[in-house]
Amino acid sequence: MASALTLTAPLGFSADVFQGYVSLNWTDNSEAFSYTTVERSLDQGNYTPIATLYKGTTVYKDYSLTNGHVYTYRARTYSNGVYSPYTNEKEVIYVYPTGLNIARTLSHSVDLEWTFPTLPLFRPMPYETLIERRLSSDTSWTAIY
């Protein structure tokens, strides 16, 4: 009697946001699989596969992002027509300011303006805006707000 193949989901699935990409990381949890499939949902839409990776690959970098969207990721292993359960879902809010302008200059201050895109889904913004400046003769930046 042949035993049924049972696969387990990757462990420790995580998503970290960097400038220009999201890094997905996990740990292989089984010797019995051949591939890991990574799927992504845009703004709570349907999931679509974005990568099928060979066994032993434990990092995937998603560079196909657009400012002002909510991405949700999940992964599972696959071998010979058998799939593991999915990992926990990881949500990423990919948003950054655009249109930085000097709105007004005074003798003692400068007023700056910028905008953030409107997210298609309501989410509290998990970010802080950091403002830095440097003298034109300097190479290092100093945080001022």
Side-chain angles (χ1 to χ4, degrees), residues 33-138:
F33 73 95
S34 299
Y35 303 99
T36 299
T37 300
V38 177
E39 298 180 0
R40 180 180 76 187
S41 167
L42 174 64
D43 300 326
Q44 290 189 328
N46 294 329
Y47 278 93
T48 56
I50 59 170
T52 300
L53 308 163
Y54 287 110
K55 179 180 183 171
T57 304
T58 58
V59 175
Y60 177 76
K61 293 180 180 176
D62 184 7
Y63 290 93
S64 60
L65 306 170
T66 303
N67 190 16
H69 289 281
V70 178
Y71 295 93
T72 309
Y73 297 92
R74 66 185 183 185
R76 65 182 177 173
T77 57
Y78 167 83
S79 184
N80 297 322
V82 177
Y83 288 90
S84 75
Y86 285 105
T87 59
N88 290 335
E89 296 175 341
K90 297 298 176 183
E91 184 176 270
V92 170
I93 300 171
Y94 191 74
V95 62
Y96 53 86
T98 60
L100 177 63
N101 267 330
I102 298 173
R104 182 173 62 161
T105 59
L106 302 170
S107 61
H108 61 283
S109 66
V110 174
D111 291 341
L112 302 174
E113 295 177 337
W114 60 88
T115 59
F116 284 97
T118 302
L119 290 174
L121 304 170
F122 174 75
R123 294 289 187 275
M125 290 297 171
Y127 61 80
E128 296 178 5
T129 301
L130 174 68
I131 300 173
E132 298 178 318
R133 71 173 175 197
R134 72 175 175 87
L135 297 172
S136 60
S137 60
D138 240 348

Side-chain angles (χ1 to χ4, degrees), residues 10-31:
L11 289 176
F13 188 67
S14 65
D16 298 303
V17 181
F18 294 91
Q19 184 175 351
Y21 68 96
V22 171
S23 181
L24 304 168
N25 302 274
W26 60 90
T27 301
D28 287 345
N29 191 28
S30 172
E31 291 296 318

